[in-house]
Structures are given as C-alpha cells and as structure tokens.
Amino acid sequence: MAGGGIVHLVGAGPGDPGLMTVRALELIAQADAILYDRLIPPAALDGARPGCDLRYVGKQPGDAAMSQEQINSLLIELAAGGRRVVRLKGGDPFVFGRGGEEAEALAREGLAFEVVPGVTAGIAAPAYAGVPVTHRDTASAVAFVTGHENPEKKASALDWEALARFPGTLVFYMGIKNLPTIARRLTDAGRSGAEAAAVIERGTLPDQRTVLGTLADIASKVEQERIRPPAITVVGPVARLRERIAWRELRPLHGRRVAVTRARAQASGFASRLRALGAEVVEAPVIRIVPRAIEGELAGTIETIDRYAVLCLTSPNGATLLFDALRATGRDARALAGVTVAAIGPGTAAELARHGIVADVVPERSVAEALVEALESVPVEGREVLVARAAQARDLLPEALSARGAEVHVAALYDTVAEPLSDDARAGLERSDYVTFTSSSTVTMLLEALGTTDGLPQGARVVSIGPITSATAREHGLTVHVEAQRHDIDGLVAALVADAG
Ligand code: SAH
C-alpha cells in the first residue's frame, strides 16, 4: 500500500449546502483531489484548498462522461500515488450512488478508504416537502427503491407484487421517466389507486417543487406540471401529511430569485436574511468598498477629531471605517466624548452602537435631506463640522451645513469602485425575479457592467432602498417596482416580502 493515500467516499447531501456534514466539509478542505458528481450542492467545493485537483466525473443524462470502470481506475491511481482523495457524491454514497462498487474496487487493490454517509434525497426531499417517510399511525416501514433499473437486465429486478404488498412507505429514486409504468405496475399488482403519492422536484434546493396526488393520477399531474429530474416519488398515506405540515414552500420568498448587487463585504447579512425567507440569492456585487489609507491630511483630521462640534456619518460603512481609522491612530470611541454624533439613519446608528457610541441625532428616513432637517436643532454656526463618508457621494449635506454658517470638512474614508461581474453573476442576473439596489452607485455600476439597460432580465422587478436610489434608477431609464419604506436592509426585505405576497 502506498504511503498516506486514501479515498474518502463522501456523501454531499441532497442539495441544500446546510445539509452537508461537518466531516464532509473537513475532508473537502483537506483533499488533494476531489472527484465529484453532478448532483452535489452548489458551492460544495468552495472550501477546497487552492490547487486541489477538482475533477468532474458525473454523467449528463444520456451521455456518460466517464464509465464506472474509468472512475474506479482513477480512484485507484490517485490513492496508490499517495493522494488524499475525496469521492464526492450527491446524497449518501451507498444509496443508489455506486459507492459500494467503488469501495469494492479499492478493497480489491488493498487501498485505504473511508465512508462518510450523507443525508439521502429519499428522506430529505420528502422532509422539506412536509412528508415524514415514517409515521407512528400510518407507516411503520419505508422502502427505498430505484425507479431506473439496469437497462441490461432483461427481466425487472423489482418484485412488483412484493412492493405492492409492502406494509409501509415506498420511496422511488430516479423514476420520473418511468413514473407512469411504476404507478401502473403497483396498481396492477394490487396497491390502491386511491393511495396518496407525492413527487418532489429538486428537493431541499431553493426552487423545490412538490406535486401531490394519488397513484391513479400522479403521473398525469407530474406531466402537467412539467416536473423534471432530479425528483423523488413517495407513495403512501404519509404523502398527504404535507397538506398539514408543509413548511418550506410556504416561506414568503420561496422560489424567488433575488439578485444582490451591493458590495460582497456588505452582502452576507442581506443575503442570509433573504435565504432564510426562502429566496434563492444571486450574488452579483457590482461595487467594492476600498478604504483609504489613514495618512496625510486624513490622518490629521482623525487625530484631531475631538475639535469638531459635530460629526456626521452617512453610511454604516463610514461608521465601521471611522473606528478602524481611530484605531489606526491609536485611539478609540473616547475620542468622540465631546462630539455631537449624527447618523443618517437607523442602520448607521446601529453600526455606531456596535462601537459603543449612541448617536445624538438619527432621522427615521436614511436620506441626506432628513439628516439636514434633524440637524436643524443643533447649533452649527461658526463651528467645525466633520462629514465622514465615501469620496463619491452627494454634496447636499455639506452644502446645507455650510449655508448655515458651519465650517464643514469632508473626510473621505473610502472609495466606491466598480467590481467586475463574474460570468456566474451575469447568468444568475438574467434569471432573476428581483434585482435589488441598495445605493445609487449599485445602479450606475450595474448598468455600466451590463453595458445597457436592456441587460436587465425581462420581467425582473427592480427593488430600491429609497428615493435617492430610485431617482438614479429612473434617470437611467429603469422602472422602479418596489421602494422600501424604511431605507435600510430591514426595510428592503420587508418591501420585497410585501411585493412577493
Ligand atoms: N446517492 C443519492 C442518490 C443518487 S441516485 C442519494 O442518496 O440521495 C439520483 C437520484 O436521486 C435522482 O434521480 C433523484 O431521484 C434523487 N435525487 C437526488 N437529489 C435530489 C434532489 N435534490 N431532489 C429530489 N431528488 C433527488
């Protein structure tokens, strides 16, 4: 046996990345080579080491990319050469995954292997559809059955009489094309045509769909709804429980594709909120925040920040970067002890609060006009006021304060620069139901990246965080379908949910 070489036969779960096991993620992160199939979760390989040898060995329906013998030989070759190999399969490797055959081949060669079970689609897809495969009252047993038999076998390997008599739930994998035959064979063999049956397409994925019917009508319903593989078929009274305990498809943004254009560094909180509501998130960042070096004039401003009577922050980014800048000059929140602090809105105030500062002035609506109004009660005449913000921003606030006799300084803490659109992002955008804009710069940068307003998907709804962003969108020829009432992420999410509902 070659030193150190090992193959891990790893289940990647049914599709929802959250259903990958801790062990699977750990092994993916350590692997020298990963041989993967088609039905692994999106982003399953994100944790692989840079330089890891990633090989797709799956089959497209109807054309075999690599035969099972070739896959076995490759596994043997890599492991014998001392590599740590992950053989990554959808669901569980030993449930209709040919993992058993691969283990046999490795054992024959005396090579080390390890098996990491995964969450199988036959249990997970029904669970996400509100169908428990067993139930104390109605199903004391469950059978996992392949609906796609080995085409080389002449007679059916399945005993249809036995399956028809089976006292419990039947779960069919790979059976969409054969569904009419499966349903007929079961009823011919004596299973009642009135028995409940459910088909779950793309189970646990954001666009999961479920069709509920009876053995007698499920095939025609599935045809009508144009259900496509991958799908799981469940036969048994448990299927009907979905009428009472379906949950996943009831989430407010289920099945909606939402594009997020804000900077990647700011997108994760927004994206996870959307995902938790059932949306499929298309990450299409078009801007990037680049902090400016704290040197020269900017360093001088930060070092003497306590000389300002009023400090205005016009974005959560500005708040975060201000504290970074204070730290860079060896100081902290105490530098603001005597300064009146104004935040443009609740999001910026929340970011300040995270750093121990409770803002003195916070308008309800996060727009410069509202901040100008809220500052009316603060004396600024003849006093120094600092506006800390992006280099690229509207001058409304500094101008209004100057007009009131303040001596206004602008500290540009960061630049907002264009982030090139990846091919994945571009493709995702084209299929989006909603495109969200969280600032004017996301609008202009997206249109610049797409080259034209026609680049936005037909029928996609444009969602804007507030009136300034909306105005920019309209100036560029877009129709704004949804505008948030509160101009922050909570407000944006609420507006989206209201529109989808
Ligand atoms: N080893 C896998 C099954 C491989 S066979 C497992 O344990 O889940 C492939 C079949 O699995 C597909 O034809 C389909 O019937 C089922 N399948 C896999 N992923 C699925 C999903 N997300 N939703 C519904 N069915 C799925």
Side-chain angles (χ1 to χ4, degrees):
M1 193 194 294
I6 182 167
V7 174
H8 301 276
L9 299 167
V10 179
D16 178 348
L19 296 181
M20 294 180 71
T21 63
V22 173
R23 184 69 178 142
L25 295 175
E26 201 172 82
L27 289 168
I28 287 168
Q30 293 166 0
D32 298 316
I34 303 178
L35 276 57
Y36 62 98
D37 281 347
R38 193 163 53 92
L39 289 179
I40 62 167
L45 302 174
D46 283 2
R49 290 189 300 124
C52 175
D53 184 0
L54 299 177
R55 302 200 198 193
Y56 175 68
V57 297
K59 305 168 185 67
Q60 298 298 340
D63 110 297
M66 224 189 217
S67 70
Q68 189 60 49
E69 289 67 35
Q70 287 171 313
I71 295 173
N72 293 354
S73 310
L74 184 57
L75 286 173
I76 289 165
E77 183 191 315
L78 291 167
R83 316 284 293 280
R84 283 168 303 180
V85 183
V86 164
R87 172 70 178 108
L88 195 62
K89 295 164 171 292
D92 180 275
F94 279 5
V95 178
F96 305 126
R98 305 191 72 169
E101 293 164 57
E102 292 171 8
E104 282 180 288
L106 292 161
R108 257 197 313 272
E109 298 293 321
L111 290 164
F113 65 91
E114 206 181 284
V115 182
V116 181
V119 175
T120 188
I123 296 175
Y128 272 41
V131 175
V133 292
T134 73
H135 190 280
R136 202 178 147 84
D137 300 332
T138 52
S140 302
V142 53
F144 297 110
V145 188
T146 172
H148 171 85
E149 298 188 69
N150 185 340
E152 281 145 40
K153 280 189 222 156
K154 286 203 191 70
S156 171
L158 294 173
D159 179 342
W160 291 98
E161 264 74 35
L163 285 175
R165 271 198 316 273
F166 181 75
T169 308
L170 301 174
V171 175
F172 289 91
Y173 291 66
M174 298 177 278
I176 283 305
K177 211 174 72 214
N178 291 336
L179 186 59
T181 316
I182 291 169
R184 186 172 42 77
R185 290 211 160 180
L186 285 174
T187 43
D188 284 355
R191 199 117 177 169
S192 163
E195 183 156 345
V199 174
I200 304 115
E201 173 190 69
R202 294 178 60 76
T204 80
L205 288 155
D207 51 352
Q208 163 180 317
R209 289 195 300 161
T210 306
V211 174
L212 178 63
T214 62
L215 257 190
D217 67 16
I218 191 70
S220 65
K221 283 190 167 176
V222 157
E223 156 119 53
Q224 213 168 8
E225 297 291 329
R226 299 179 177 282
I227 295 290
R228 299 272 173 273
I232 286 286
T233 301
V234 184
V235 177
V238 286
R240 202 165 291 297
L241 286 175
R242 118 173 212 92
E243 289 174 337
R244 273 181 278 148
I245 61 169
W247 56 279
R248 189 150 170 103
E249 294 140 345
L250 302 182
R251 295 179 308 163
L253 296 179
H254 179 80
R256 312 294 174 116
R257 240 183 236 112
V258 182
V260 172
T261 56
R262 75 189 324 210
R264 196 181 299 285
Q266 275 85 50
S268 65
F270 183 28
S272 59
R273 292 276 309 275
L274 293 171
R275 288 195 185 101
L277 293 165
E280 177 177 354
V281 175
V282 173
E283 290 184 31
V286 293
I287 59 172
R288 193 156 43 92
I289 304 301
V290 183
R292 290 203 165 173
I294 307 303
E295 58 192 20
E297 198 188 319
L298 182 55
T301 305
I302 300 297
E303 275 158 15
T304 59
I305 201 158
D306 45 0
R307 76 167 191 267
Y308 292 99
V310 182
L311 166 66
C312 302
L313 288 152
T314 59
S315 69
N317 284 324
T320 315
L321 293 174
L322 177 76
F323 288 98
D324 288 352
L326 283 171
R327 210 169 308 123
T329 57
R331 337 196 39 215
D332 61 20
R334 285 170 295 179
L336 303 177
V339 182
T340 297
V341 178
I344 195 161
T348 302
E351 188 56 28
L352 283 167
R354 257 192 285 282
H355 292 90
I357 296 292
V358 178
D360 302 293
V361 179
V362 191
E364 265 301 302
R365 301 183 320 120
S366 309
V367 290
E369 286 79 354
L371 184 55
V372 168
E373 210 178 294
L375 281 166
E376 266 164 22
S377 55
V378 177
V380 295
E381 193 177 342
R383 307 176 80 185
E384 286 192 280
V385 175
L386 183 65
V387 178
R389 58 167 222 196
Q392 304 74 17
R394 296 198 302 152
D395 285 322
L396 186 128
L397 176 65
E399 279 165 8
L401 293 169
S402 297
R404 285 179 54 201
E407 193 184 316
V408 181
H409 298 252
V410 171
L413 291 173
Y414 59 99
D415 291 281
T416 306
V417 303
E419 168 93 31
L421 265 186
S422 68
D423 290 346
D424 278 357
R426 215 173 271 275
L429 266 168
E430 267 164 31
R431 300 178 304 133
S432 291
D433 302 304
Y434 288 98
V435 180
T436 60
F437 293 111
T438 46
S439 64
S440 289
S441 52
T442 58
V443 176
T444 51
M445 300 290 195
L446 179 68
L447 293 178
E448 210 161 286
L450 293 176
T452 149
T453 49
D454 306 337
L456 278 184
Q458 293 260 319
R461 292 175 74 71
V462 170
V463 187
S464 146
I465 198 164
I468 307 301
T469 303
S470 300
T472 307
R474 289 192 192 101
E475 269 164 41
H476 288 81
L478 295 180
T479 304
V480 176
H481 302 92
V482 184
E483 183 180 286
Q485 306 268 304
R486 269 188 56 182
H487 314 312
D488 54 18
I489 292 304
D490 285 348
L492 198 63
V493 169
L496 245 171
V497 167
D499 187 73

